[in-house]
Amino acid sequence: MKLDQEKSEFLDEMLQQWQDQQLLTEEHVKKLKDSYETKSFDWRRLAQYSFWVAMACGVISLGALLLDKDILTYLEKLYETPDGLISLLSAMVAGVLYYTGFKRSRTHYMQVFSNDALIFTAVMLTANAIAYLGKAIGNNDSHFSLLILFSVIIYAVLAFIFKSRLIWAFVLISLGAWFGTETGYLSRWDYYFLGLNYPLRFVIFGFALTGAALLFKNKPKFSLFYSTTYIGGMLYLFVSLWLISVFGNYASIEEWYNIRQISLFYWAILSALVCLISIFAGLKYRDDVAREFGITFLFLNLYTRYFEYFWDTWHKALFFCVLAASFWIIGRRAEKIWNVEFLKK
């Protein structure tokens, strides 16, 4: 069995510790060490990063092309192409890429990242096809959230057909976009919808999505998408709670500038309380996602409050001294956990 360098070193250290404590004999330790070997290089991670860089470079390349005057002149000519034709061509190319990507996922299942890159491109082309379809059949109606809802349905069908977590992630992204635009449309693009600003609306949305994930956790048809939905719901929830703790239920920057940050302290308490509940639930039910989200955003909330309340009142030398000390303490505690020092006592 081949292991990464860090995992291999960890096992070596633990086996040596157990041998020193006479929990294992030297013969057993040698037998266990012979059962695994260290990878010389993490090619999987290199492949993953390479595809990320390739897609990022593709976006940069597209941006550079759009800055070229000759290219812009050519695109102006293409702009006269009917929207319906652009939608049809995008849909056809997306269909070819879906077919190729999922066929490769069966015949070249080890090439995970190149297959995902094809699916990602197909998803982008699908969004382009839906957008131009809306332009082709639209009548200058501002209710474009219906178009986003249509994309949610399309992505959901594709995700179930091809059993793809990647496409399901775009279902969750599109669903959030639909929720935001639909509530904006219903409120006639006012700052508030039923008295709620956007972050507070998405707190409710995050709770609903997380609850739906837990509700369908043991349903066979949804088991493939459970973890993606659960993490997506928690991300919506905790990011929105953090934004609420900073901005409160204010929708405009002008209103927010005119209030004291201490007046939003009750939102910070609510956010911290949800974090503590998440940590408790994670520890009680051995839910790593709930625990990690709770710990991460609890620290984020604490440091946000620190910057809000002490940036203007403390001398900057003292401010950063306390900040450095806090990170040193966190780093030291993390180091102890990493080194499993509690086993050495």
Side-chain angles (χ1 to χ4, degrees):
M1 179 174 59
K2 292 187 177 182
L3 299 174
D4 296 335
Q5 180 72 29
E6 292 179 357
K7 293 179 181 178
S8 180
E9 290 177 356
F10 173 76
L11 283 178
D12 288 342
E13 184 179 348
M14 293 306 303
L15 289 173
Q16 186 61 48
Q17 183 70 27
W18 289 332
Q19 183 180 345
D20 294 342
Q21 295 177 353
Q22 297 182 348
L23 298 174
L24 291 174
T25 64
E26 183 179 353
E27 183 178 343
H28 283 124
V29 170
K30 185 178 182 304
K31 187 176 181 180
L32 288 170
K33 286 186 176 180
D34 290 341
S35 66
Y36 64 88
E37 59 179 308
T38 305
K39 292 180 181 179
S40 57
F41 190 79
D42 194 349
W43 292 102
R44 186 179 186 277
R45 185 167 296 180
L46 176 63
Q48 182 180 13
Y49 291 160
S50 296
F51 277 108
W52 286 356
V53 172
M55 286 188 282
C57 289
V59 173
I60 295 171
S61 174
L62 179 61
L65 280 174
L66 294 177
L67 292 175
D68 188 283
K69 292 183 179 180
D70 295 332
I71 298 294
L72 287 175
T73 303
Y74 179 68
L75 288 176
E76 286 177 0
K77 295 178 180 178
L78 287 179
Y79 188 74
E80 297 177 1
T81 305
D83 294 329
L85 180 59
I86 295 176
S87 175
L88 179 61
L89 290 174
S90 297
M92 290 174 62
V93 175
V96 172
L97 290 177
Y98 279 125
Y99 175 78
T100 305
F102 288 109
K103 185 178 180 181
R104 280 175 56 85
S105 66
R106 295 182 179 180
T107 57
H108 300 80
Y109 56 89
M110 294 298 290
Q111 298 177 10
V112 178
F113 303 115
S114 57
N115 294 338
D116 282 349
L118 285 173
I119 300 302
F120 178 80
T121 306
V123 167
M124 292 294 100
L125 284 169
T126 302
N128 189 65
I130 294 171
Y132 273 95
L133 177 63
K135 290 180 66 177
I137 64 177
N139 54 356
N140 297 323
D141 187 7
S142 61
H143 200 184
F144 56 87
S145 57
L146 292 177
L147 207 59
I148 301 176
L149 182 59
F150 180 59
S151 71
V152 172
I153 297 170
I154 294 294
Y155 287 145
V157 171
L158 290 170
F160 273 97
I161 290 175
F162 298 113
K163 302 186 186 312
S164 171
R165 289 189 180 92
L166 177 61
I167 299 179
W168 188 255
F170 281 91
V171 171
L172 301 179
I173 294 171
S174 302
L175 190 62
W178 168 79
F179 177 77
T181 53
E182 181 66 17
T183 55
Y185 175 79
L186 293 175
S187 63
R188 297 183 180 181
W189 306 110
D190 190 15
Y191 288 134
Y192 295 98
F193 173 72
L194 299 178
L196 311 176
N197 67 357
Y198 274 101
L200 196 50
R201 292 179 224 173
F202 274 94
V203 169
I204 298 172
F205 179 80
F207 265 119
L209 194 59
T210 303
L214 295 174
L215 185 64
F216 292 105
K217 181 178 180 179
N218 298 319
K219 302 292 183 181
K221 291 183 179 180
F222 295 93
S223 59
L224 180 67
F225 308 120
Y226 162 71
S227 60
T228 307
T229 308
Y230 186 34
I231 292 172
M234 294 286 274
L235 192 60
Y236 275 119
L237 172 62
F238 279 96
V239 171
S240 300
L241 280 169
W242 176 73
L243 289 173
I244 272 290
S245 74
V246 175
F247 299 104
N249 194 25
Y250 293 95
S252 66
I253 295 295
E254 292 76 14
E255 284 184 286
W256 181 67
Y257 272 138
N258 293 327
I259 56 102
R260 295 184 62 190
Q261 202 63 31
I262 194 70
S263 66
L264 302 177
F265 190 66
Y266 57 92
W267 289 114
I269 293 175
L270 174 63
S271 181
L273 182 62
V274 175
C275 291
L276 291 173
I277 293 172
S278 183
I279 294 170
F280 175 77
L283 293 172
K284 183 176 181 179
Y285 299 105
R286 297 183 180 180
D287 187 334
D288 293 340
V289 174
R291 187 188 68 237
E292 296 303 324
F293 265 98
I295 292 173
T296 301
F297 279 89
L298 180 61
F299 276 110
L300 181 60
N301 272 279
L302 291 174
Y303 279 109
T304 302
R305 304 292 81 76
Y306 179 71
F307 272 87
E308 285 177 344
Y309 303 145
F310 301 113
W311 177 257
D312 293 327
T313 57
W314 282 12
H315 190 282
K316 296 301 178 284
L318 176 61
F319 181 90
F320 284 104
C321 182
V322 174
L323 196 64
S326 67
F327 276 108
W328 185 88
I329 293 170
I330 292 172
R332 180 57 184 148
R333 293 298 178 186
E335 185 182 44
K336 286 184 177 181
I337 295 171
W338 174 254
N339 290 327
V340 202
E341 290 190 4
F342 64 90
L343 289 177
K344 296 180 181 180
K345 295 180 181 179

